Protein backbone atom coordinates (compact mmCIF):
# COMPACT_ATOMS: atom_id res chain seq x y z
CA UNK A 1 0.00 0.00 0.00
CA UNK A 2 2.94 2.35 0.52
CA UNK A 3 3.78 2.09 -3.18
CA UNK A 4 0.17 2.82 -4.13
CA UNK A 5 0.04 5.81 -1.77
CA UNK A 6 3.31 7.08 -3.24
CA UNK A 7 1.94 6.70 -6.78
CA UNK A 8 -1.25 8.56 -5.86
CA UNK A 9 0.77 11.36 -4.29
CA UNK A 10 2.94 11.58 -7.42
CA UNK A 11 -0.25 11.83 -9.48
CA UNK A 12 -1.20 14.80 -7.26
CA UNK A 13 -4.48 13.35 -6.00
CA UNK A 14 -6.14 15.46 -3.35
CA UNK A 15 -6.72 12.60 -0.94
CA UNK A 16 -6.87 8.90 -0.24
CA UNK A 17 -9.11 6.70 1.89
CA UNK A 18 -7.33 4.31 4.21
CA UNK A 19 -7.82 2.73 7.59
CA UNK A 20 -7.05 -0.40 9.52
CA UNK A 21 -8.43 -1.96 12.67
CA UNK A 22 -7.28 -5.02 14.57
CA UNK A 23 -8.66 -6.63 17.70
CA UNK A 24 -11.24 -3.89 18.13
CA UNK A 25 -8.72 -1.03 17.98
CA UNK A 26 -7.63 1.33 15.23
CA UNK A 27 -4.26 0.25 13.83
CA UNK A 28 -2.70 3.70 13.62
CA UNK A 29 0.87 2.48 13.23
CA UNK A 30 -0.13 0.67 10.04
CA UNK A 31 -1.89 3.77 8.70
CA UNK A 32 1.04 6.02 9.64
CA UNK A 33 3.42 3.61 7.91
CA UNK A 34 1.49 3.87 4.62
CA UNK A 35 1.22 7.64 4.92
CA UNK A 36 4.98 8.08 5.11
CA UNK A 37 4.91 7.48 1.35
CA UNK A 38 2.41 10.29 0.73
CA UNK A 39 3.12 13.03 3.27
CA UNK A 40 1.17 15.82 1.56
CA UNK A 41 -2.01 13.92 0.77
CA UNK A 42 -5.25 14.47 2.68
CA UNK A 43 -6.67 11.32 4.26
CA UNK A 44 -10.12 10.00 5.06
CA UNK A 45 -9.99 7.27 7.67
CA UNK A 46 -11.92 4.31 6.26
CA UNK A 47 -14.92 2.50 7.72
CA UNK A 48 -12.49 0.20 9.51
CA UNK A 49 -13.43 2.63 12.25
CA UNK A 50 -16.78 0.81 12.50
CA UNK A 51 -14.94 -2.26 13.83
CA UNK A 52 -13.54 -0.58 16.94
CA UNK A 53 -14.87 -1.25 20.43
CA UNK A 54 -14.38 2.30 21.75
CA UNK A 55 -15.27 4.74 18.96
CA UNK A 56 -14.88 7.94 21.00
CA UNK A 57 -11.39 6.97 22.14
CA UNK A 58 -10.62 5.91 18.56
CA UNK A 59 -11.54 9.40 17.33
CA UNK A 60 -9.09 10.88 19.83
CA UNK A 61 -6.40 8.54 18.49
CA UNK A 62 -7.17 9.11 14.80
CA UNK A 63 -6.94 12.88 15.07
CA UNK A 64 -3.33 12.52 16.18
CA UNK A 65 -2.50 11.69 12.56
CA UNK A 66 -2.24 15.18 11.06
CA UNK A 67 -3.08 14.07 7.51
CA UNK A 68 -6.43 12.63 8.55
CA UNK A 69 -9.06 15.31 8.04
CA UNK A 70 -12.12 13.08 7.57
CA UNK A 71 -13.55 9.94 9.12
CA UNK A 72 -16.00 7.73 7.21
CA UNK A 73 -18.42 5.78 9.40
CA UNK A 74 -21.86 4.24 9.24
CA UNK A 75 -22.54 5.32 12.80
CA UNK A 76 -22.91 1.72 13.95
CA UNK A 77 -25.96 -0.49 13.86
CA UNK A 78 -29.57 0.42 14.44
CA UNK A 79 -32.35 2.52 13.01
CA UNK A 80 -31.49 5.83 11.31
CA UNK A 81 -32.41 8.00 14.32
CA UNK A 82 -30.06 6.04 16.59
CA UNK A 83 -27.23 6.10 14.06
CA UNK A 84 -27.75 9.83 13.44
CA UNK A 85 -27.49 10.52 17.16
CA UNK A 86 -24.32 8.42 17.36
CA UNK A 87 -22.85 10.37 14.43
CA UNK A 88 -23.72 13.57 16.25
CA UNK A 89 -21.75 12.33 19.28
CA UNK A 90 -18.82 11.43 17.03
CA UNK A 91 -18.77 14.88 15.45
CA UNK A 92 -19.04 16.52 18.88
CA UNK A 93 -16.04 14.48 20.03
CA UNK A 94 -14.08 15.24 16.87
CA UNK A 95 -14.94 18.96 17.02
CA UNK A 96 -13.07 20.78 14.26
CA UNK A 97 -10.18 18.32 14.34
CA UNK A 98 -11.76 15.98 11.78
CA UNK A 99 -14.96 15.94 9.74
CA UNK A 100 -17.24 12.96 10.25
CA UNK A 101 -18.69 11.62 6.99
CA UNK A 102 -21.79 9.44 7.24
CA UNK A 103 -21.24 6.45 4.97
CA UNK A 104 -22.48 2.92 4.75
CA UNK A 105 -26.21 2.35 4.60
CA UNK A 106 -27.00 5.98 3.86
CA UNK A 107 -30.31 5.59 2.06
CA UNK A 108 -33.19 8.07 1.78
CA UNK A 109 -34.40 7.36 5.32
CA UNK A 110 -30.94 7.77 6.83
CA UNK A 111 -30.24 10.90 4.81
CA UNK A 112 -33.51 12.41 6.06
CA UNK A 113 -32.54 11.60 9.67
CA UNK A 114 -29.14 13.23 9.14
CA UNK A 115 -30.71 16.32 7.61
CA UNK A 116 -33.46 16.56 10.23
CA UNK A 117 -30.93 16.50 13.05
CA UNK A 118 -28.21 18.53 11.30
CA UNK A 119 -25.96 15.68 12.37
CA UNK A 120 -23.07 15.87 9.92
CA UNK A 121 -22.15 18.09 7.00
CA UNK A 122 -21.05 15.32 4.63
CA UNK A 123 -22.48 11.96 3.58
CA UNK A 124 -21.38 9.25 1.17
CA UNK A 125 -24.55 7.81 -0.31
CA UNK A 126 -23.09 4.99 -2.41
CA UNK A 127 -25.79 2.54 -3.47
CA UNK A 128 -28.60 5.00 -2.76
CA UNK A 129 -27.51 6.92 -5.89
CA UNK A 130 -27.50 3.86 -8.15
CA UNK A 131 -30.28 2.93 -10.55
CA UNK A 132 -31.55 -0.61 -10.71
CA UNK A 133 -29.08 -2.58 -12.77
CA UNK A 134 -26.14 -0.39 -11.79
CA UNK A 135 -24.75 3.01 -12.61
CA UNK A 136 -25.34 6.31 -10.91
CA UNK A 137 -28.78 7.72 -11.63
CA UNK A 138 -29.15 11.48 -12.02
CA UNK A 139 -32.78 11.26 -10.91
CA UNK A 140 -31.82 9.35 -7.73
CA UNK A 141 -29.12 11.90 -6.97
CA UNK A 142 -31.68 14.68 -7.50
CA UNK A 143 -34.07 12.91 -5.09
CA UNK A 144 -31.35 12.59 -2.45
CA UNK A 145 -30.49 16.26 -2.89
CA UNK A 146 -34.18 17.16 -2.54
CA UNK A 147 -34.31 15.37 0.81
CA UNK A 148 -31.58 17.69 2.04
CA UNK A 149 -33.18 20.76 0.54
CA UNK A 150 -36.53 19.94 2.21
CA UNK A 151 -34.85 20.24 5.60
CA UNK A 152 -33.45 23.76 5.12
Amino acid sequence: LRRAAEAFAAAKVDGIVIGFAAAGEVALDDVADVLTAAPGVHVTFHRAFDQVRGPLAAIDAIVRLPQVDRLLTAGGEGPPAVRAERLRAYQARARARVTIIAGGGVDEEMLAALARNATVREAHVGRAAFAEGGGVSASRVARLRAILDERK
Side-chain angles (χ1 to χ4, degrees):
L1 284 174
R2 274 193 305 276
R3 282 189 296 246
E6 184 175 36
F8 289 134
K12 304 213 183 302
V13 300
D14 184 57
I16 60 175
V17 179
I18 187 172
F20 304 107
E25 304 292 329
V26 290
L28 291 184
D29 290 343
D30 294 335
V31 174
D33 183 50
V34 172
L35 296 182
T36 61
V41 174
H42 294 275
V43 175
T44 298
F45 195 93
H46 186 272
R47 283 192 53 213
F49 173 83
D50 290 335
Q51 305 305 310
V52 302
R53 286 188 298 266
L56 297 178
I59 290 169
D60 294 337
I62 289 167
V63 300
R64 289 196 298 263
L65 293 174
Q67 284 175 261
V68 177
D69 56 9
R70 286 178 166 62
L71 170 60
L72 181 65
T73 173
E77 299 293 324
V82 171
R83 292 173 51 215
E85 188 54 40
R86 200 172 292 125
L87 288 164
R88 182 195 308 272
Y90 294 170
Q91 188 61 69
R93 182 61 162 250
R95 297 184 303 277
R97 301 177 296 173
V98 67
T99 298
I100 302 297
I101 304 172
V106 178
D107 56 13
E108 290 184 19
E109 183 182 5
M110 182 65 184
L111 196 59
L114 295 172
R116 186 171 40 256
N117 298 322
T119 303
V120 295
R121 296 178 44 92
E122 298 181 24
H124 173 61
V125 294
R127 286 185 219 132
F130 281 73
E132 284 188 36
V136 174
S137 162
S139 64
R140 296 211 30 114
V141 170
R143 173 65 190 136
L144 295 170
R145 181 71 229 182
I147 290 169
L148 296 174
D149 292 341
E150 292 168 6
R151 305 293 183 218
K152 288 185 178 178

